[in-house]
Amino acid sequence: MLEILKAIILGIIQGITEWLPVSSTGHMILVDQFLHLAGNKKFVDTFLVVIQFGSILAVILLYFDKLNPFSSGKSEKAKRATWDLWIKVLIAVIPSGVIGVLFEKKIDAVFFKPTVVAAALVIYGVIMIWIESRHKRPVITKFSNLSYKTALLIGVFQILALVPGTSRSGSTIIGALLLGTSRFIAAEFSFFLAIPTMLGASLLKLVKAGFAFSGFEWFIMFVGSLTAFVVSVVVIKFFMGYIKKHDFKAFGVYRIILGIIVFAFFLFS
């Protein structure tokens, strides 16, 4: 029961921090100091990646119609627009996909340190507040206005998420805002980018692990994924409603506070 409870807690953290631009890594580093999932390193590492699958299913569920080019309720023009959106998503995935496959282990070895995570939290928090303080009117307010070039550049920003503490959603949202998108487009495009990115990461992790887990370990992964799915549905709905009336400054402030806590915790522990 204790391991199931741990899986639920980790699923909750995953479901919240994956979609808000606050860095899931920063939270996991702190949680890991108090909550250690039982099992060997291979299982724990796989669990932390595979539970992202639950979060992705939430995006697919909530945006199924928007992302489904085969919907019978769509006109031919709407179907073409959906295919066009998928092309932009796949273009944007390429940069981080290539760099991640080639250098992810080296990047983790060099940057996966509490001080780096804390610094990334603070730096990108400051950047987020600065971007919102400019009060610039967005020029891209719908996906049809999002060019392939802009999609690729947003994808380049996603490379920054390979540095722990940056946040995948945070880096793509910051990049999209700097490139002139509205908050709504920035958030949704970040969600859509997560589908191939995180599905690929989950599948790759399982393949590398050889699918060699016990029945109970598979059950623990299922519990964590299911929890991440349910929480993600709630968080995504909240987030999209929140940014209709608010900017991202509060998340910037939160990142700075969390970064200071992470730094102080490891400095004085």
Side-chain angles (χ1 to χ4, degrees):
M1 286 301 297
L2 181 58
E3 295 309 306
I4 293 173
L5 180 60
K6 290 178 182 178
I8 291 172
I9 293 172
L10 290 170
I12 291 171
I13 295 171
Q14 162 63 28
I16 294 174
T17 60
E18 183 59 48
W19 307 115
L20 303 183
V22 295
S23 173
S24 58
T25 304
H27 290 79
M28 288 297 187
I29 281 180
L30 285 178
V31 172
D32 186 57
Q33 300 303 308
F34 308 99
L35 187 154
H36 298 283
L37 197 63
N40 57 46
K41 188 176 185 301
K42 182 178 73 171
F43 165 69
V44 174
D45 289 347
T46 303
F47 172 87
L48 293 176
V49 174
V50 170
I51 59 171
Q52 296 174 349
F53 180 71
S55 296
I56 289 304
L57 287 180
V59 175
I60 294 173
L61 172 69
L62 293 173
Y63 291 96
F64 184 78
D65 186 61
K66 188 168 190 172
L67 295 172
N68 181 15
F70 304 106
S71 174
S72 58
K74 287 184 177 180
S75 64
E76 289 303 314
K77 181 179 179 181
K79 289 180 180 178
R80 286 195 298 271
T82 304
W83 281 116
D84 187 60
L85 174 58
W86 271 112
I87 291 171
K88 291 169 183 174
V89 168
L90 294 176
I91 287 173
V93 166
I94 293 172
S96 61
V98 173
I99 299 299
V101 170
L102 294 177
F103 302 107
E104 186 173 14
K105 285 187 177 179
K106 187 172 291 186
I107 290 172
D108 280 349
V110 174
F111 294 108
F112 201 91
K113 301 172 183 176
T115 51
V116 173
V117 172
L121 282 164
V122 173
I123 291 169
Y124 286 96
V126 171
I127 292 173
M128 199 168 285
I129 294 171
W130 169 73
I131 289 173
E132 291 290 21
S133 298
R134 300 179 309 160
H135 301 297
K136 280 198 172 184
R137 186 179 295 276
V139 294
I140 302 171
T141 55
K142 50 187 178 179
F143 284 111
S144 58
N145 297 141
L146 183 71
S147 68
Y148 296 130
K149 178 182 177 181
T150 301
L152 179 63
L153 290 174
I154 294 173
V156 171
F157 273 91
Q158 188 170 233
I159 294 173
L160 298 172
L162 294 172
V163 176
T166 302
S167 166
R168 190 203 58 79
S169 60
S171 60
T172 51
I173 286 173
I174 284 173
L177 292 176
L178 285 173
L179 293 166
T181 75
S182 66
R183 297 185 191 102
F184 210 78
I185 293 295
E188 283 200 340
F189 198 64
S190 175
F191 295 163
F192 302 158
L193 277 182
I195 296 175
T197 301
M198 291 164 60
L199 280 180
S202 297
L203 182 60
L204 185 62
K205 200 71 174 179
L206 284 171
V207 170
K208 286 183 176 179
F211 297 90
F213 301 108
S214 68
F216 183 69
E217 287 174 333
W218 279 111
F219 178 70
I220 290 295
M221 284 193 278
F222 170 76
V223 170
S225 298
L226 180 61
T227 304
F229 167 76
V230 174
V231 174
S232 291
V233 170
V234 175
V235 169
I236 290 171
K237 287 183 176 181
F238 159 78
F239 187 50
M240 297 311 293
Y242 178 88
I243 62 174
K244 287 180 180 178
K245 300 177 181 179
H246 306 87
D247 58 25
F248 290 111
K249 286 181 181 177
F251 297 106
V253 172
Y254 179 84
R255 288 180 64 99
I256 293 171
I257 294 172
L258 179 63
I260 293 171
I261 292 173
V262 170
F263 182 78
F265 182 86
F266 285 95
L267 181 65
F268 298 109
S269 63

